[in-house]
């Protein structure tokens, strides 16, 4: 990024609710014990009840009646960003969505269907809902968003890549405002996948959450919630040892005096703790941290943007599969 | 600095006209009413210094191009994935190239997607002269702009099958290579670089989006050189999905034919090395083509069907032409999306008729999907390679399989022996979810 951008509004759909306060205390999030797919091992998971208010307001919308839970999480978060800024015309807003797993629930249902019923009986209704960009397509159609739309995929850190795309569009003068969203939905096969990858261990508890977050950004403006002043992305790794090096390089891009938000989960917790021993580590929420992957990336950014006591905060995005990125949030101009 | 990009233009826009069939105001010509001209305000020239591909017609760009020009089709029985029980069991399957210098054990770990992507990217980098003697990138950090829709899906499917059958052995090795960022990791590991990556998944327009995004990065000064492209491997979930939609033609794929019945799925990968002209000139690289313009729009008409008026596609084309500073009459060849579904080809024909108007008969149009199949997330990148080969050789790929063309396009579907007589080539793609993208290429 060449110039800072401002966060103008945000939206949240998480198991704890739809307010920023919900992100401050994970212990208040409802959890349920869910068995791994194909097994009996139970894991605690934080899920969103789509039939409860206010997120149930989308259930009867024609395009969303049969849409995936991911679409519902996403539209709630994005709608909030627009509702908070009625002065901004949605028809002139772009959207970049970041997804780690995409429409997992419908993909699993579709694949199970063709496996059990036969390929000829695969569901033509479910298949389009398995496509990665379908949720964002529903959202822009329903909310009347008229700017460019990209769906990006990657690990947790791909939200930073999406943010970079949004900054590029703003920098190029193509568009004034872009919503950068991250969203994930839960499906029990995730538990089996992460268990097989040894992300659940006694040393580092790991609790999966679902939901979405979105921030509306634009050119730097004095009435913003906060500014994004620096992005470091593209610190890649294949092994956990390489991840340590990538983390050092990534965080080395930022002023050593800038406090760093504690965002690490699973195996990255230990890596982060050792990497950040010489820096001021700030925890912005209470209770066992839940990982909503790209959604968490946005939630952490929103939390950092709302801290009145810190003029600057570095928010690391530990993409636990391939890439580490970080974003500097500044409130200096706004205090 | 080359100055062949038009100067910045400020355009007043009517409300809500940028995307969406319901809000598109046809009273305004799209070139004027369209909202966001990506990179129009930039003065950086985006050049292409290398390209490579793996397709069902061949393991490299030249072999593929020569087969395409001979009018060959790669249609055959699908053997790499289980398709028994589907209505259609034919498609265009690629032969996986050997990966020199990679152990058998490592090859066995790679997803089919990576086995397509790595050789294609290696060709592009070699063509651009950015590989050292050991086949590693000379740039330790190299930005990636990539597209895919199914990632390493066959690994995810294997994981699912094992879970369902109670086989819990080696689950990690299956699921770990499924996500898209793992193919990025494979590319970086095997070609020796790291750096930021953007993986766009805008369905079948993704490949063009990845290339357009790379151009945006270069024009805005976010990068000096980008490896851009896409990959897609055949997989059971997607094949059965299109089969369930009855979107696969049980016979030959016949784009723009009155009797078209659907698409043929394919697989492949293609990559371009894109640079600013200043960067290419500084390192003494030969410039082999230019990406002159990029436009993209979103159509909110329907999840799986394009707006039948073709207006959103028309908007994307106009935007790409505007950025290129070219008139429609300067397009000599149009590589159409041409999936051979009833809705896609009809919408495209409507858009082409309006964009080119009286010049339509002077444009040569073909859909290469009749030859290599619809490669989804790789389609835009593979077709970009064909556009560049067209500019390099002056030859135009013939439209095969189409014997009863739809009247609107009958005069302009390309025939064997057609030559490029104008300075620019246009490549367009449409995708599920309403993605539309257009790329304009010119010669070096």
């Amino acid at each position: 990024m060449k110039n800072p951008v401002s966060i103008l509004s945000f939206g949240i759909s998480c198991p704890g609710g739809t307010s920023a306060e919900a992100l401050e205390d994970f212990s208040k999030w409802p959890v349920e014990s869910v068995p791994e797919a194909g097994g009996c091992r139970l894991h605690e998971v934080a899920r969103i009840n789509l039939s409860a208010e206010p997120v149930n307001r989308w259930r009867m919308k024609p395009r969303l009646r049969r849409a995936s839970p991911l679409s519902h999480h996403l539209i709630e978060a994005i709608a909030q960003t627009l509702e908070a800024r009625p002065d901004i015309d949605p028809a002139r807003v772009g959207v970049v969505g970041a997804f780690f797993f995409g429409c997992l629930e419908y993909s699993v249902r579709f694949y199970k269907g063709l496996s059990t019923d036969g390929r000829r009986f695969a569901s033509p209704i479910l298949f389009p809902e398995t496509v990665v960009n379908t949720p964002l397509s529903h959202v822009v159609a329903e909310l009347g968003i008229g700017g460019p739309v990209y769906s990006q995929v990657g690990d947790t850190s791909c939200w930073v890549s999406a943010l970079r795309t949004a900054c590029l569009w703003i920098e190029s003068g193509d568009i004034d405002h872009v919503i950068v969203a991250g969203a994930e939905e839960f499906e029990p096969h995730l538990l089996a996948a992460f268990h097989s990858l040894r992300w659940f261990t006694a040393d580092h508890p790991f609790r999966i959450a679902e939901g979405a977050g979105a921030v509306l950004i634009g050119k730097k403006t004095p009435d913003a919630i906060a500014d994004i002043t620096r992005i470091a992305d593209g610190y890649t790794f294949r092994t956990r040892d390489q991840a340590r090096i990538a983390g050092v390089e990534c965080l080395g891009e930022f002023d050593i005096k800038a406090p760093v938000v504690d965002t690490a989960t699973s195996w990255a917790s230990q890596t982060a703790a050792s990497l950040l021993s010489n820096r001021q580590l700030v925890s912005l929420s209470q209770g066992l941290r839940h990982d909503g992957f790209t959604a968490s990336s946005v939630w952490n950014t929103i939390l950092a943007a709302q801290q009145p006591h810190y003029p600057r905060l570095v928010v690391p995005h530990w993409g636990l599969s391939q890439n580490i990125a970080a974003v500097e949030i500044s409130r200096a101009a706004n205090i | 600095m080359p100055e062949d990009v038009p100067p910045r233009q400020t355009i007043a826009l009517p409300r809500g006209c940028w995307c969406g069939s319901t809000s598109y105001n046809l009273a305004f010509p799209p070139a004027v009413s369209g909202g966001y001209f990506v990179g129009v305000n930039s003065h950086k020239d985006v050049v292409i210094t290398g390209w490579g591909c793996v397709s069902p017609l061949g393991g490299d760009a030249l072999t593929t191009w020569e087969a395409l020009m001979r009018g060959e089709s790669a249609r055959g029985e699908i053997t790499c994935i289980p398709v028994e029980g589907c209505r259609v069991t034919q498609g265009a399957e690629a032969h996986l190239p050997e990966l020199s210098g990679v152990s058998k054990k490592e090859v066995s770990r790679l997803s089919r997607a990576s086995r397509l992507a790595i050789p294609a990217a290696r060709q592009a980098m070699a063509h651009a002269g950015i590989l050292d003697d050991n086949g590693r990138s000379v740039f330790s950090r190299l930005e990636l702009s990539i597209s895919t829709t199914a990632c390493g899906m066959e690994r995810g499917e294997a994981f699912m099958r094992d879970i369902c059958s109670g086989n819990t052995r080696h689950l990690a090795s299956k699921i770990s290579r499924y996500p898209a960022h793992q193919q990025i990791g494979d590319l970086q590991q095997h070609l020796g670089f790291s750096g930021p990556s953007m993986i766009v998944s805008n369905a079948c327009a993704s490949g063009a989006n990845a290339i357009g995004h790379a151009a945006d990065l270069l024009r805005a000064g976010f990068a000096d050189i980008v490896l851009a492209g896409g990959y897609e491997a055949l997989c059971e979930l997607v094949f059965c999905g299109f089969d369930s939609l009855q979107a696969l033609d049980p016979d030959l794929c016949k784009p723009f034919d009155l009797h078209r019945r659907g698409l043929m799925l394919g697989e492949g990968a293609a990559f371009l090395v894109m640079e600013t002209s200043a960067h290419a000139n500084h390192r003494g690289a030969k410039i082999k083509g230019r990406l002159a313009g990029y436009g993209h729009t979103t159509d909110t008409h329907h999840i799986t069907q394009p707006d039948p008026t073709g207006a959103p596609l028309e908007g994307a084309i106009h935007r790409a032409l505007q950025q290129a500073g070219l008139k429609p009459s300067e397009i000599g060849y149009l590589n159409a999306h041409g999936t051979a579904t009833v809705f896609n080809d009809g919408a495209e024909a409507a858009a082409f008729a309006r964009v080119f108007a009286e010049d339509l008969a002077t444009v040569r149009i073909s859909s290469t999907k009749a030859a290599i199949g619809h490669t989804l997330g790789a389609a835009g990148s593979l077709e970009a390679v064909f556009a560049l080969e067209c500019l390099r050789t002056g030859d135009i790929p013939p439209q095969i399989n189409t014997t009863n063309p739809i009247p609107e396009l009958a005069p302009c579907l390309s025939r064997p022996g057609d030559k490029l007589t104008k300075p620019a080539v246009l490549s367009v793609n449409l995708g599920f979810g309403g993605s539309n993208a257009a790329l304009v290429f010119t010669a070096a």
Side-chain angles (χ1 to χ4, degrees):
Chain A
M1 88 188 280
K2 292 165 76 179
N3 293 307
V5 293
S6 288
I7 297 175
L8 305 174
S9 65
F10 59 81
I12 296 160
S13 180
C14 73
T18 55
S19 68
E21 290 73 35
L23 302 176
E24 292 171 1
D25 191 352
F26 289 116
S27 65
K28 293 180 180 168
W29 286 22
V31 291
E32 54 187 284
S33 291
V34 180
E36 281 179 13
C40 53
R41 204 178 287 109
L42 292 170
H43 297 273
E44 287 189 333
V45 175
R47 306 194 67 178
I48 293 175
N49 180 1
L50 286 175
S51 59
E53 290 184 344
V55 293
N56 65 353
R57 60 178 164 151
W58 308 105
R59 295 183 79 196
M60 297 314 290
K61 298 284 183 185
R63 275 190 75 145
L64 290 160
R65 274 202 293 260
R66 286 194 300 228
S68 61
L70 181 68
S71 303
H72 289 256
H73 305 331
L74 193 60
I75 195 168
E76 175 59 32
I78 290 179
Q80 287 174 31
T81 65
L82 294 170
E83 287 160 0
R85 291 299 298 250
D87 55 315
I88 294 173
D89 181 0
R92 305 180 76 81
V93 171
V95 190
V96 192
F99 310 97
F100 191 162
F101 307 113
C103 307
L104 199 56
E105 183 176 325
Y106 280 22
S107 297
V108 168
R109 277 171 59 184
F110 178 79
Y111 191 74
K112 274 189 172 173
L114 71 90
S115 301
T116 54
D117 302 337
R119 296 188 184 94
R120 188 168 290 246
F121 302 102
S123 168
I125 294 172
L126 279 179
F127 176 62
E129 297 292 338
T130 69
V131 179
V132 173
N133 67 329
T134 292
L136 214 41
S137 179
H138 288 316
V139 171
V140 299
E142 196 61 53
L143 299 180
I145 291 171
V149 182
Y150 273 11
S151 293
Q152 292 185 201
V153 292
D155 63 11
T156 297
S157 69
C158 90
W159 183 77
V160 178
S161 173
L163 176 65
R164 203 160 166 264
T165 298
C167 293
L168 173 64
W169 289 352
I170 292 168
E171 184 93 37
S172 302
D174 309 324
I175 193 162
D176 294 330
H177 301 106
V178 184
I179 295 167
V180 195
E184 307 293 348
E185 66 183 20
F186 172 76
E187 206 286 331
H189 282 79
L190 273 183
L191 299 172
F194 285 126
H195 177 77
S196 72
L197 293 168
R198 287 182 281 175
W199 283 31
F200 297 109
T201 70
D203 294 343
H204 34 74
F206 177 60
R207 188 180 283 169
I208 294 175
E210 65 179 0
V215 293
L216 174 69
I217 64 168
K219 283 182 182 162
K220 196 169 180 305
T221 174
D223 64 344
I225 296 167
D227 298 330
I228 294 171
T229 45
R230 192 173 184 83
I231 296 173
D233 188 20
Y235 296 87
T236 55
F237 62 90
R238 293 312 291 264
T239 66
R240 293 183 185 184
D241 285 342
Q242 291 171 355
R244 168 181 288 274
I245 298 166
V248 169
E249 289 179 351
C250 178
L251 292 169
E253 292 288 319
F254 298 89
D255 183 352
I256 193 138
K257 292 176 189 161
V260 178
V261 181
D262 184 8
T263 57
T265 60
S266 185
W267 61 266
S269 306
Q270 290 165 335
T271 303
S274 62
L275 286 182
L276 299 170
S277 59
N278 61 341
R279 305 189 69 140
Q280 184 186 351
L281 198 58
V282 179
S283 187
L284 301 179
S285 48
Q286 298 172 12
L288 173 64
R289 189 170 299 122
H290 293 56
D291 202 332
F293 308 98
T294 59
S296 283
S297 273
V298 196
W299 297 338
N300 289 327
T301 303
I302 292 168
L303 271 176
Q306 291 214 302
Q307 299 305 312
H309 306 302
Y310 296 96
R312 276 189 308 168
L313 280 169
V314 175
V315 185
H317 299 265
W318 305 96
L320 297 189
S321 295
Q322 186 249 345
N323 182 51
I324 293 169
V327 171
E328 184 181 77
I329 307 290
S330 170
R331 290 173 57 92
N334 312 304
I335 293 174
Chain B
M1 185 77 67
E3 292 294 337
D4 59 352
V5 175
R8 181 174 186 150
Q9 302 180 27
T10 304
I11 297 166
L13 304 167
R15 179 186 167 90
C17 65
W18 195 79
C19 93
S21 56
T22 54
S23 59
Y24 203 92
N25 186 347
L26 292 176
F28 295 84
V32 177
S33 66
Y36 310 102
F37 296 88
V38 178
V40 162
N41 56 350
S42 168
H43 297 276
K44 285 189 176 165
D45 190 17
V46 174
V47 302
I48 295 142
T49 52
W51 58 81
C53 76
V54 174
S55 83
L57 284 178
D60 60 70
L62 187 60
T63 308
T64 298
W65 179 248
E66 288 175 350
L68 206 57
M69 293 309 300
R70 287 193 298 269
E72 292 179 13
S73 169
R75 188 179 179 89
E77 283 294 324
I78 296 291
T79 60
C80 63
I81 54 169
V83 292
E84 301 84 16
C86 290
R87 294 164 187 82
V88 175
T89 57
Q90 292 197 321
E93 186 175 324
H95 175 72
L96 298 177
E98 291 289 320
L99 287 175
S100 58
V102 183
S103 69
K104 281 186 180 174
K105 188 176 178 185
E106 176 58 16
V107 168
S108 71
R109 285 180 183 153
L110 294 173
S111 63
R112 189 173 178 85
S114 288
R115 293 196 58 190
L116 293 164
I118 293 169
R122 181 170 282 158
Q123 284 170 47
M125 294 171 75
H127 194 209
I130 60 168
L131 287 181
D132 65 16
D133 294 341
N134 298 317
R136 315 281 290 173
S137 171
V138 298
F139 299 107
S140 59
R141 282 181 78 79
L142 177 61
E143 181 131 7
L144 276 166
S145 181
I146 300 286
S147 66
T148 185
T149 67
C151 318
M153 185 63 84
E154 91 279 5
R155 295 303 176 113
E157 291 168 352
F159 175 82
M160 282 280 299
R161 276 195 301 273
D162 282 357
I163 291 275
C164 292
S165 64
N167 176 13
T168 55
R169 295 182 65 208
H170 309 303
L171 286 176
S173 66
K174 296 187 176 80
I175 197 64
S176 64
R177 294 295 178 111
Y178 157 64
H181 48 263
Q182 290 301 319
Q183 288 96 63
I184 297 290
D186 291 339
L187 282 168
Q188 292 174 330
Q189 179 184 334
H190 288 273
L191 297 169
F193 63 89
S194 67
S197 56
M198 192 283 294
I199 315 169
V200 66
S201 195
N202 277 3
C204 309
S206 309
N209 288 137
I211 291 169
H213 181 76
D216 291 347
L217 288 168
L218 295 166
R219 288 198 172 102
F222 277 47
D224 296 319
I225 179 167
V226 180
L227 179 62
Y231 59 85
E232 200 73 71
L234 285 167
C235 65
E236 188 183 1
L237 187 147
V238 173
F239 196 95
C240 293
F242 278 98
D243 190 65
S244 74
L245 294 172
Q246 300 187 39
L248 303 178
D249 195 327
D251 191 19
L252 295 175
C253 169
K254 302 177 283 290
F256 305 114
D257 194 288
L258 286 169
H259 307 300
R260 64 191 183 277
R261 292 175 62 190
L263 54 90
M264 168 175 74
L265 278 176
E267 62 180 352
F271 286 84
L272 276 58
V273 175
M274 300 172 66
E275 308 178 50
T276 61
S277 58
H279 188 269
N281 289 330
H282 179 71
R283 70 179 188 91
K286 184 179 178 188
I287 293 170
K288 295 163 184 141
R290 291 172 198 275
L291 180 65
Y294 166 51
H296 63 111
T297 60
T298 303
D299 166 2
T300 55
H301 175 73
H302 191 268
I303 279 294
T304 58
Q305 295 170 14
D307 181 336
T309 69
L313 174 62
E314 184 187 358
I317 295 172
H318 274 295
R319 260 160 232 131
L321 287 169
Q322 171 115 8
Q323 190 179 65
L326 294 171
K327 301 188 200 79
S329 60
E330 292 174 276
I331 299 295
Y333 170 56
L334 195 173
N335 189 303
H337 192 56
T339 55
T341 59
V342 170
F343 293 113
N344 176 84
D345 291 12
E348 271 194 278
F352 299 158
R354 278 203 304 278
V355 169
F356 292 100
E358 67 272 16
D359 296 315
L360 184 62
T362 69
V363 186
R364 296 275 76 85
I365 298 174
S366 67
S367 165
T368 43
K369 290 183 179 68
I372 63 162
H374 189 354
T375 57
L376 308 176
S381 306
L382 276 160
E383 290 156 17
V385 166
F386 301 154
L388 289 160
E389 287 289 344
C390 174
L391 285 160
R392 181 182 70 84
T393 62
D395 297 326
I396 290 177
Q399 180 59 66
I400 62 169
N401 299 347
T402 302
T403 52
N404 296 291
I406 56 177
E408 306 94 291
L409 298 186
C412 41
L413 290 185
S414 58
R415 299 177 182 85
D418 279 352
K419 296 288 180 187
L420 187 68
T421 57
K422 296 179 184 179
V425 172
L426 174 66
S427 182
V428 301
N429 292 101
L430 295 79
F432 274 15
S435 306
N436 301 275
L439 300 169
V440 176
F441 295 92
T442 56

